[in-house]
Each structure stands twice: as structure tokens, then as C-alpha cells.
Amino acid sequence: MRSFARFALAAVFCATALPVLAEDKPTLTIYTYDSFAAEWGPGPALKAGFEKTCGCTVEFTTSEDAISTLRKVQLEGAATKADLVVGLDTATSGEARATGLFAPHGLTLEGLSLPWTDAEFVPFDYGYFAFVYNKEKTPNPPTSFEELIALPASFKIVIEDPRSSTPGLGNVLWVQSAYGERAPEIWKGLKPHVLTMTRGWSEAYGLFLDGQADMVLSYTTSPAYHAVAEKDDKYAYAPFTEGFVAQVEVAGLLKTAKQAELGKAFLAYLVTPEAQKVIPTTNWMYPVIDIGDALPAAFGKPPEKVLPVDEAELAANGRTWVDAALAALQ
């Protein structure tokens, strides 16, 4: 998930800019996407919480999106300064695993709210891709991709580029999972409605909030931000009858990590109640453990119909699906 407060705050927090207060402490270097480490994101609270007990300093190095983060560690290879990568997701973890750069986490992950067997990556939040709309401007939103296609071309959406954005890639998987061989037909039908395709989620959501589009590809949990942080309940997500595709965000330890034990400790910290209580109102996603009343009621229940995405099938066909979607949109 991407943080919303950038639309209210201009300053960007980047821990790499902070002075090291205790040079004799080891430094845990984490690569992540920019909004994760921003002052309104979960990064600062997680850094403070972990530093209370680790005897270390946590530093974030940020990229625009998780896919950009993965490309950065791929380019740097064994020379990377990163110990951990935080913010990949289940659509990109297969590609990340195939690089051979990530080490087993070695953790026993008990008490998670979702089934999990991944030996390399640790989940820290999850959500579902969805189109978000303004109930006052769009009282009757489409309830499927096909209903969306049937609307006049003046009904516009903003989507993200699947080559640079995990929500953009998630949208490709959503259409593919729902329609299979008909996916190119659906993308061709969506073409007249696409106002623009942005590199990342933040730009897309900003255009939507500026009133330039009727819907934006985001998450089922995005309306919770407006309800909780802004006391504004006019935003909702369109209840597409095809079902929804989940995004689980993950973190992984690099084989070349200079602070491997600290990295494993941070991965373990990510799934503690203390860390998980930070997630919902900073990253606006569901926590991966039950945090009880700490999860605001505005999050509601996850969608009942969830479409599966097979990692092996994604690894084999993901690039083809992306190319087909982009070709249909040209």
C-alpha cells in the first residue's frame, strides 16, 4: 500500500539523510519504496520500535516503487549496501527469488492471519486491488470490468504502469485471473476509459483526488484512510463481481547482508503485535496477525471472493500478460 499523507504534507522523510547519532552502533540498511519510509508511512515508527532493543541504527534507502527497489538490488548485485528489502509483494517475490539474491529467513511464523509457507520472504501486510470512487460524484459505480467498459468513454479511470508499479502489475493479474484468454479483449475495452497510466500509485491517486478521473486503481482499504484520517466517508471501492486479487507485501534478507542477524531480527519484529499495530493507519493495509480493536472498524471485512494467482504460472506467463495488456492499450 502507498501512504496518503503525501497529499497533505510536502516534506519527505528519508532516513538516509539523518545523521548517525551513534557511530559505534551497527547499521541495518533497508531498501524500500519511498512512501514506506516517509514520515507518514510505517517506516519511522518501525525504525524507532526496533532501535529500542536492537542496539543498532536503522537506515532506509528509498526508490519510487517496490519494482524499482528490486531493480536497484539486481543492478548492485553483490556490491549492494542493503541488508533487507522491504515492500516487495507476492506478484514480484517469484522474480526476486529467481535472482538468487535472497536468503532463507529461518523464522517460524506462527499466528499469521493468512496461510504462509514462503522460506525466503516474510509477510507484513496485505490488501486487495480495487477501483476507488467518490460516492457523491459517482452514485452508481460499475460492478465489473465489463460494466466499466460499457460506460460512455467520458467515464475515466487512472491506472498504474505494470512495468514500474506493483498495483499496476496487480491490475494485470486481476484482469488475467478474472478473464483468462479474454484478458486482451478486456484491456482493449478499457482503453477508451484510461485517462493515463502513471509510473506509481501516488501520482495516480493524486490525479483522482484532483477530480481528473472518476475512479483510480487502488485498494479496498483506501477508503479507510479517508474515513479515519479525514473523517470523510464519501469514498468507497467498486464491488466488482469478478472478485478481487490480493497483494501481500513482504520483506526479504539478502545473502550479501553485512548485518544478517540484525536483518533476521527485524524480519521477526515486523510480525510482532507492536509492529503490526503500526501498519493499518500508516500503510493502510490489513495486518498479518490479529491485532483486535487496534484495527479501525472502517477497514471492514476483506472481500469474500478472492481470485487465486499461482506463482509458477505468473513466473511463466507474467511478462506475456503485461505485454498483451500494454499492446491492447496502445
Side-chain angles (χ1 to χ4, degrees), residues 111-125:
L112 298 181
S113 302
L114 65 171
W116 198 258
T117 58
D118 196 311
E120 279 87 29
F121 296 101
V122 173
F124 63 89
D125 67 21

Side-chain angles (χ1 to χ4, degrees), residues 16 29-32 61-63 68-85 99 101-102 254 256 258:
T16 53
T29 302
I30 298 175
Y31 283 12
T32 187
T61 296
T62 62
S63 299
S68 301
T69 304
L70 177 59
R71 298 289 175 259
K72 183 176 176 64
V73 293
Q74 284 181 282
L75 286 171
E76 294 176 348
T80 185
K81 296 180 180 178
D83 298 303
L84 291 175
V85 175
T99 66
L101 295 173
F102 290 87
L254 289 160
T256 53
K258 295 179 178 60

Side-chain angles (χ1 to χ4, degrees), residues 147-322:
E147 276 197 15
L148 170 56
I149 290 170
L151 290 173
S154 58
F155 190 91
K156 296 299 184 184
I157 61 174
V158 182
I159 59 176
E160 297 85 354
D161 192 327
R163 294 164 295 186
S164 58
S165 162
T166 51
L169 179 57
N171 194 23
V172 171
L173 302 184
W174 189 9
V175 173
Q176 188 66 41
S177 297
Y179 291 95
E181 293 181 353
R182 290 186 58 208
E185 169 194 340
I186 297 299
W187 283 110
K188 187 175 181 180
L190 290 173
K191 179 180 176 180
H193 298 283
V194 176
L195 175 69
T196 188
M197 178 185 289
T198 63
R199 279 190 54 80
W201 174 91
S202 296
E203 183 183 358
Y205 210 86
L207 291 171
F208 166 68
L209 291 181
D210 286 343
Q212 297 188 42
D214 299 287
M215 298 201 306
V216 60
L217 180 70
S218 190
Y219 298 84
T220 61
T221 48
S222 298
Y225 162 76
H226 299 285
V228 174
E230 299 178 337
K231 311 300 180 188
D232 187 343
D233 64 356
K234 66 173 175 285
Y235 295 98
Y237 71 87
F240 275 25
T241 55
E242 295 98 331
F244 297 85
V245 164
Q247 180 190 45
V248 182
E249 291 195 292
V250 302
L253 176 72
L254 289 160
K255 289 179 178 176
T256 53
K258 295 179 178 60
Q259 302 295 338
E261 292 307 313
L262 281 174
K264 289 182 180 180
F266 188 85
L267 292 177
Y269 173 71
L270 275 178
V271 293
T272 63
E274 177 182 300
Q276 286 292 294
K277 288 178 182 178
V278 171
I279 294 295
T281 55
T282 53
N283 229 27
W284 300 97
M285 297 280 270
Y286 291 106
V288 295
I289 65 171
D290 184 358
I291 58 171
D293 293 341
L295 180 67
F299 275 77
K301 294 182 179 179
E304 293 184 359
K305 186 175 181 180
V306 179
L307 301 171
V309 176
D310 181 76
E311 182 177 310
E313 190 176 8
L314 171 60
N317 302 301
R319 186 174 297 276
T320 299
W321 295 341
V322 169

